[in-house]
Amino acid sequence: MTEANPFETLIQLAGGACLPRCLHVVAEIGVADAFDEDPQTPAQLAAKVGANPDALARVLRLLSAYGVFQVERGKVRHSPASRLLRSDHPQSMRPLARMFGLDINWKSYDEFEQSVRTGEPSSKKILPEGFWGYFAEHPDAGRIFNEAMTAKAQTQVPAVVAGYEFSPFATIADIGGGRGHLLRAVLQANPSARGVLFDLPNVIQDASGVAGDRLTLQAGDFFKDALPKADCYLIMEVIHDWGDKESQSIFEAIRRAAQPGAKLLVIEQMVPDDNLPHWSKMLDIHMLALLGGKQRTREEYTVLLRPAGFKVVQVHPTRSDVSILEAQAS
């Protein structure tokens, strides 16, 4: 195999920030929604979305070189990737593309050198109200963020339910489970189980409508309050928000509530032990810049879980981007 030209490697990386920005803008102005199966010219699309025809044509030319849309003989067609940018696609990724294009993400990288030098999130320098406080102060951005998380869950939740055998458990607790998308799906697939949704008081208040005979709600802070008793604990894309010290504290809080033999399922993107490109390695940098969190390898999770009183059993891949790390309380 021919090695990549080192100049080409560096120039693509050094000047490549325009590529995701093109995707963000195309998602924001709704280009994929402007046509379906009939090919369109860039001028036709520009008229529909309020864009400059020449500028849009050049943006689509670049995106098509990376598999987003197809540009042939002056006409634009959908590719499998661009169809996922349609708002009406069942697995639409338009909300995610819009979310990554928010100012909060890009401005954090203006100060990213600070993160590399200190290990602290660069967002601290631009967000005096904090990452989560920003969305409270900017409801339009908060709505886009929530839509992105919902879109992501549409793919991840069915994959998690299909990727693990939940039937042995009588009680399943979802720690930091938000509005209960995952727990509700697990309970629906396992009619004999009962569930407890644990999250901050304001989140639980928003989720009040999901409570029922088999699903109870418990408000609290996992750094301060006792967690529910359960046979199985779920914690999905929560640990990656936190550094090692805080993550170990969360695991210790779960272990204090868990009986010996109880299972803990850490549902995250696992960083593979190789030098190949992988989305988890990019997401890891986003977590550093925005929250001071991190994506981890199986071994890094093992190091955090062992002193907290859990033994890693195995990692279950799923058909989505997340894996299920299964641990057992010792």
Side-chain angles (χ1 to χ4, degrees):
M1 185 175 73
T2 304
E3 290 188 9
N5 181 303
F7 175 83
E8 184 71 16
T9 296
L10 288 179
I11 200 71
Q12 291 274 0
L13 288 172
C18 61
L19 179 60
R21 290 304 286 153
C22 286
L23 182 65
H24 300 155
V25 171
V26 161
E28 183 65 33
I29 66 177
V31 173
D33 287 343
F35 73 113
D36 195 355
E37 297 307 316
D38 293 333
Q40 304 278 301
T41 66
Q44 288 173 316
L45 291 174
K48 293 178 180 178
V49 300
N52 176 273
D54 179 64
L56 183 59
R58 292 154 66 184
V59 164
L60 294 175
R61 178 176 63 187
L62 174 61
L63 290 174
S64 70
Y66 289 85
V68 184
F69 300 102
Q70 295 176 342
V71 179
E72 300 171 352
R73 299 185 181 92
K75 295 284 187 76
V76 183
R77 301 174 183 270
H78 271 301
S79 67
S82 68
R83 282 193 177 90
L84 287 175
L85 291 177
R86 288 185 58 86
S87 300
D88 59 2
H89 193 286
Q91 287 84 45
S92 177
M93 291 186 67
R94 185 187 179 201
L96 277 167
R98 294 182 70 201
M99 184 270 290
F100 277 112
L102 290 172
D103 283 351
I104 187 176
N105 291 308
W106 282 89
K107 288 181 178 177
S108 292
Y109 283 102
D110 290 343
E111 304 291 343
F112 187 60
E113 182 181 336
Q114 184 74 7
S115 284
V116 177
R117 290 189 180 277
T118 67
E120 294 294 316
S122 51
S123 63
K124 278 186 175 181
K125 294 194 70 173
I126 65 163
L127 299 175
E129 68 272 65
F131 182 79
W132 302 114
Y134 174 86
F135 293 120
E137 295 291 327
H138 299 81
D140 287 344
R143 176 179 51 80
I144 291 173
F145 180 85
N146 289 335
E147 288 174 354
M149 296 303 101
T150 299
K152 188 158 60 73
Q154 288 176 348
T155 299
Q156 292 175 335
V157 166
V160 171
V161 174
Y164 189 81
E165 182 55 65
F166 291 95
S167 60
F169 306 116
T171 304
I172 301 169
D174 192 351
I175 308 302
R179 291 168 176 79
H181 294 96
L182 175 60
L183 184 57
R184 282 184 287 162
V186 169
L187 294 179
Q188 184 176 8
N190 297 272
S192 64
R194 303 177 68 85
V196 184
L197 180 65
F198 181 95
D199 214 313
L200 293 168
N202 63 303
V203 179
I204 291 298
Q205 183 176 357
D206 290 342
S208 59
V210 308
D213 293 340
R214 295 172 51 225
L215 198 163
T216 58
L217 308 181
Q218 182 174 332
D221 181 336
F222 45 49
F223 290 118
K224 301 176 182 178
D225 300 314
L227 300 184
K229 301 291 184 182
D231 308 306
C232 177
Y233 292 85
L234 314 177
I235 188 161
M236 180 171 176
E237 294 196 315
V238 170
I239 296 299
H240 74 169
D241 289 349
W242 301 96
D244 289 348
K245 180 180 178 181
E246 295 86 356
S247 296
Q248 189 166 339
S249 294
I250 296 169
F251 290 145
E252 289 171 351
I254 296 173
R255 181 61 187 87
R256 286 193 293 271
Q259 296 294 318
K263 292 292 180 70
L264 167 62
L265 305 182
V266 182
I267 303 162
E268 295 274 2
Q269 290 206 25
M270 301 290 161
V271 179
D273 291 317
D274 59 38
N275 292 320
L276 299 175
H278 193 272
W279 167 240
S280 65
K281 299 174 185 179
M282 288 191 177
L283 184 57
D284 180 48
I285 302 303
H286 287 307
M287 302 314 296
L288 168 61
L290 296 171
L291 290 166
K294 64 191 297 187
Q295 301 300 130
R296 295 174 173 87
T297 64
R298 172 176 174 156
E299 181 56 32
E300 287 174 317
Y301 275 111
T302 300
V303 169
L304 291 176
L305 285 161
R306 187 184 298 120
F310 287 99
K311 177 183 178 181
V312 172
V313 178
Q314 68 179 106
V315 174
H316 306 264
T318 74
R319 60 177 183 244
S320 77
D321 57 339
V322 294
S323 297
I324 304 168
L325 183 144
E326 178 185 5
Q328 186 167 14
S330 55

